Amino acid sequence: MGGPTITIDRDRLVSTAGRMIDVHSFTGDEENMARLMVELYEDIGLQVQWQQVEDNRANALGTWAGVGGGKSLMFNGHMDTSYSGREPWLRGVAGFQPSHFVEDGRLYGLGISNMKGALACYVEAVRALVEAGVRLRGDVLIAAVCGEIEKTQYGDAQGAEYRGYAAGTRYLVSHGGVADMCLLGEPTEGKVVLGHFGALWLRIRVHGNFIHTAFSEGKRDQNSILRMHEVLAAVSEWIPTWENDPANAYRGANAIVNVGAVEGGFGWRVSRTPHHTDLFLDVRVPPTKPMGVARREVLDMVRGLSARFPAYGIEGQVYVTAPGAEIEESHELVGAIDAAHEEVFGEAPGRDVTRWFSDASALTRYGIPTVNYGTSTGLMDVDLGENLEIDGLVRTADVYARIAQRVCGT
């Protein structure tokens, strides 16, 4: 593209990303991260909107106002991290702690790949445009939001740390955070994600008797855990029918079902048989299937289990419905990403469909076409923790700056 030369400051980008890593922002405790975002916005000269979602949780929205006559672009990214770093199996892994460090050209620290690296790229891209004297016609918005990670309140798991699944972005779009289109910098390995699956969470409950071990002789078939063993086998028979159903496929990707948890009985009182046992399923739903239809279909499966095991008192409850999202490949934002990516990386970006959820779900349902396109996923294992290649961050920030110019007009 013609016009001023845009320069991404590598050291500044690393410094910004490092500052973000150093702020602990596990789900439910994102406010300090939002305050850092406000500071960064003000340093650039953006208009700031503070959105207090609930106690200790906020969204930070920064707007670089255009001169008029152009379309607006939102860069959206969640501030909450997938882990706290305090999990017993992660405490000793430096890359899963809220303290950044650089090693062999990579930036390490909690949240860098999902997705503080993208937030830092947004800030650096806009700052570079401002410093180059670029004036855009349309507005550019940077929305740093709370509560995206896939989790929900259930049972005794109550409180803000369990309120995810687009909690912040749902608040964002209903309080002025809207644009003509949105780029979500989730880690996509530099591919353009044209759609992602949604999630439906299902609880299946099996009932049994509640009796002291001393009086359980001859009544083992009434133990709800052992009954669940049979029900789980039946569910395992059903799972392939969901995963292989052409109606549940999307752009060549099949749906998937995960057996996420089993809960029954009392570890502190195993002298009693459990009165019920619960099985929890994560059922991935293509964006082309309405959630109401998916709900009906999985509950029909539960009714089938009830008919098959009439003495077990089987119940079903859907407690999460998080729709997927998609965008037409012909959309102008996809075209802008393609062109900018090729300019920076020397080749066109690939395409992808993912089975993970993103805030595109809430955004698209508010009429904001959204594309997931971002950095690599980083090496997220128990030995290294989260990390990203710094050169990749620099080039991604460059791409974002070019996309803003193409979408908003100079």
Side-chain angles (χ1 to χ4, degrees):
M1 295 180 63
T5 299
I6 310 301
T7 302
I8 301 299
D9 189 319
R10 177 190 176 96
D11 292 339
R12 184 172 62 194
L13 175 56
V14 171
S15 174
T16 299
R19 292 177 66 190
M20 292 179 178
I21 292 168
D22 293 348
V23 177
H24 185 271
S25 58
F26 189 54
T27 308
D29 187 25
E30 301 97 334
E31 187 166 313
N32 287 334
M33 177 68 181
R35 295 190 186 282
L36 172 59
M37 295 304 299
V38 167
E39 180 183 336
L40 293 168
Y41 297 160
E42 290 177 340
D43 285 345
I44 305 173
L46 306 187
Q47 299 171 4
V48 174
Q49 182 179 347
W50 179 268
Q51 297 182 341
Q52 192 72 47
V53 177
E54 58 180 316
D55 290 347
N56 300 316
R57 309 187 78 184
N59 296 332
L61 178 63
T63 301
W64 183 28
V67 299
K71 294 183 178 180
S72 57
L73 172 67
M74 177 194 295
F75 292 113
N76 181 295
H78 62 85
M79 298 178 288
D80 56 332
T81 56
S82 298
Y83 310 98
S84 69
R86 299 165 183 164
E87 294 84 356
W89 59 94
L90 298 179
R91 287 175 189 163
V93 183
F96 279 122
Q97 302 307 310
S99 179
H100 78 280
F101 63 95
V102 174
E103 189 174 289
D104 295 329
R106 304 186 76 89
L107 177 59
Y108 290 77
L110 183 63
I112 183 58
S113 62
N114 189 30
M115 57 178 289
K116 293 184 177 184
L119 286 168
C121 287
Y122 300 159
V123 171
E124 178 59 29
V126 172
R127 190 192 295 268
L129 290 168
V130 170
E131 289 182 346
V134 173
R135 293 303 307 276
L136 301 182
R137 296 183 181 277
D139 297 346
V140 175
L141 295 76
I142 303 177
V145 299
C146 62
E148 186 269 356
I149 301 298
E150 295 183 30
K151 59 180 68 174
T152 193
Q153 296 183 126
Y154 182 83
D156 294 334
Q158 299 295 316
E161 65 267 36
Y162 301 105
R163 289 194 279 271
Y165 265 128
T169 288
R170 288 197 304 269
Y171 192 98
L172 171 79
V173 295
S174 61
H175 292 80
V178 296
D180 290 307
M181 61 199 81
C182 176
L183 188 151
L184 249 174
E186 291 278 4
T188 70
E189 302 288 351
K191 297 178 182 178
V192 176
V193 173
L194 298 174
H196 67 73
F197 281 68
L200 179 151
W201 288 4
L202 171 69
R203 185 206 73 191
I204 300 174
R205 173 163 290 180
V206 172
H207 289 271
N209 66 355
F210 182 74
I211 192 170
H212 192 288
T213 301
F215 307 106
S216 65
E217 185 178 5
K219 300 176 182 178
R220 187 162 291 147
D221 61 340
Q222 298 176 36
N223 185 304
S224 68
I225 291 178
L226 298 179
R227 286 178 168 182
M228 181 57 79
H229 178 72
E230 298 177 66
V231 172
L232 179 54
V235 170
S236 297
E237 295 171 4
W238 168 80
I239 288 175
T241 69
W242 182 270
E243 295 181 339
N244 298 324
D245 185 345
N248 293 331
Y250 179 73
R251 293 183 183 267
N254 290 339
I256 195 166
V257 179
N258 179 47
V259 178
V262 178
E263 188 175 85
F266 310 95
W268 56 273
R269 202 179 195 191
V270 292
S271 60
R272 298 295 187 273
T273 59
H275 58 297
H276 65 248
T277 297
D278 291 329
L279 173 69
F280 299 88
L281 302 180
D282 175 9
V283 181
R284 294 289 146 156
V285 181
T288 48
K289 173 169 283 190
M291 273 294 168
V293 173
R295 176 184 181 276
R296 183 179 71 243
E297 291 177 350
V298 298
L299 291 179
D300 281 344
M301 179 270 290
V302 175
R303 280 186 279 271
L305 293 173
S306 183
R308 182 171 172 179
F309 304 100
Y312 291 6
I314 293 176
E315 302 171 5
Q317 180 189 61
V318 173
Y319 63 104
V320 164
T321 46
E326 61 178 339
I327 189 169
E328 293 292 334
E329 191 166 13
S330 59
H331 193 278
E332 62 181 291
L333 179 55
V334 175
I337 295 170
D338 284 347
H341 181 100
E342 188 162 6
E343 288 172 356
V344 173
F345 287 90
E347 60 183 4
R351 299 287 190 255
D352 202 5
V353 171
T354 65
R355 297 185 181 95
W356 42 253
F357 170 88
S358 85
D359 277 341
S361 173
L363 292 160
T364 57
R365 278 154 183 79
Y366 217 80
I368 306 170
T370 303
V371 177
N372 279 288
Y373 165 81
T375 61
S376 70
T377 55
L379 297 174
M380 296 176 60
D381 59 44
V382 295
D383 295 320
L384 296 173
E386 291 191 56
N387 65 92
L388 286 177
E389 184 184 35
I390 294 172
D391 286 344
L393 280 171
V394 172
R395 292 200 285 180
T396 299
D398 191 359
V399 173
Y400 288 166
R402 294 167 186 258
I403 291 169
Q405 292 177 88
R406 288 181 176 275
V407 168
C408 300
T410 55

